[in-house]
Amino acid sequence: MLVKRKIKEWLKRYLPPEIVGTITAIAAATLAHHFTSNGITIAYVATLGESIGFFATVFIQHLIVVIKKNKIIDKSFSFLDFTKIMGSMAIEYGPAGIIDSFLLRPFFMYIFPSLLSNFTLGILVGKIVGDFTFYLLVIVSYELKKRKTLRD
């Protein structure tokens, strides 16, 4: 029961950014592939594209929570609200994001198109393998952050 509840919670939290991130990763990789055949460049552009789509969606999710919580119709969104969102995102995604964005995901998005001899499928498989390693770290950070928030 607890495992099912956790999986539902994680899917609600992470699936929308994953969908957007997947679309932006493949779009960025395809665009980069149009201009260069350098696999390393393509892998980093795909990673950047995914990061932009993913984190923009995460930010919007956090913004919606703040708007609902503060009833911002009556109160404007403040710089303090912005810094709280960015701080929360840094705690949850920072360590995993750095390792993922600069090392693991570009490597996977570089190697899988070659291994599979299919560019789009390789980018997608590389992204999914990158997601696995990313979420191992992110979910631990998220659960620790929640536990600390409950204690405070």
Side-chain angles (χ1 to χ4, degrees):
M1 185 71 165
L2 175 65
V3 171
K4 252 175 116 171
R5 194 179 90 239
K6 284 292 181 189
I7 290 172
K8 282 178 74 173
E9 176 184 353
W10 296 334
L11 284 174
K12 182 179 177 189
R13 183 172 189 82
Y14 301 121
L15 187 59
E18 272 306 312
I19 291 169
V20 175
T22 300
I23 293 166
T24 55
I26 291 172
T30 302
L31 185 63
H33 192 240
H34 178 74
F35 290 103
T36 184
S37 59
N38 183 312
I40 294 170
T41 300
I42 294 167
Y44 274 100
V45 169
T47 298
L48 178 63
E50 179 171 13
S51 294
I52 290 169
F54 181 90
F55 288 113
T57 306
V58 168
F59 182 82
I60 290 167
Q61 286 176 313
H62 279 75
L63 184 60
I64 290 168
V65 168
V66 169
I67 288 170
K68 286 180 180 178
K69 181 178 156 193
N70 293 345
K71 297 180 178 70
I72 290 198
I73 296 168
D74 299 334
K75 177 186 162 206
S76 63
F77 182 72
S78 70
F79 183 71
L80 181 61
D81 293 325
F82 175 77
T83 58
K84 284 180 182 177
I85 290 172
M86 296 309 288
S88 176
M89 288 175 62
I91 290 168
E92 185 171 349
Y93 299 101
I98 290 168
I99 294 166
D100 179 68
S101 296
F102 293 105
L103 297 172
L104 298 176
R105 190 168 306 263
F107 171 75
F108 294 137
M109 288 185 170
Y110 171 78
I111 199 77
F112 279 101
S114 299
L115 289 175
L116 299 175
S117 299
N118 181 313
F119 177 76
T120 304
L121 180 62
I123 291 293
L124 185 59
V125 169
K127 183 226 171 309
I128 291 167
V129 173
D131 288 345
F132 180 75
T133 59
F134 176 72
Y135 282 111
L136 286 176
L137 299 170
V138 166
I139 288 173
V140 168
S141 294
Y142 172 65
E143 293 298 328
L144 289 172
K145 182 178 83 169
K146 270 186 18 186
R147 192 171 298 156
K148 184 183 180 325
T149 303
L150 291 175
R151 282 188 303 201
D152 291 343

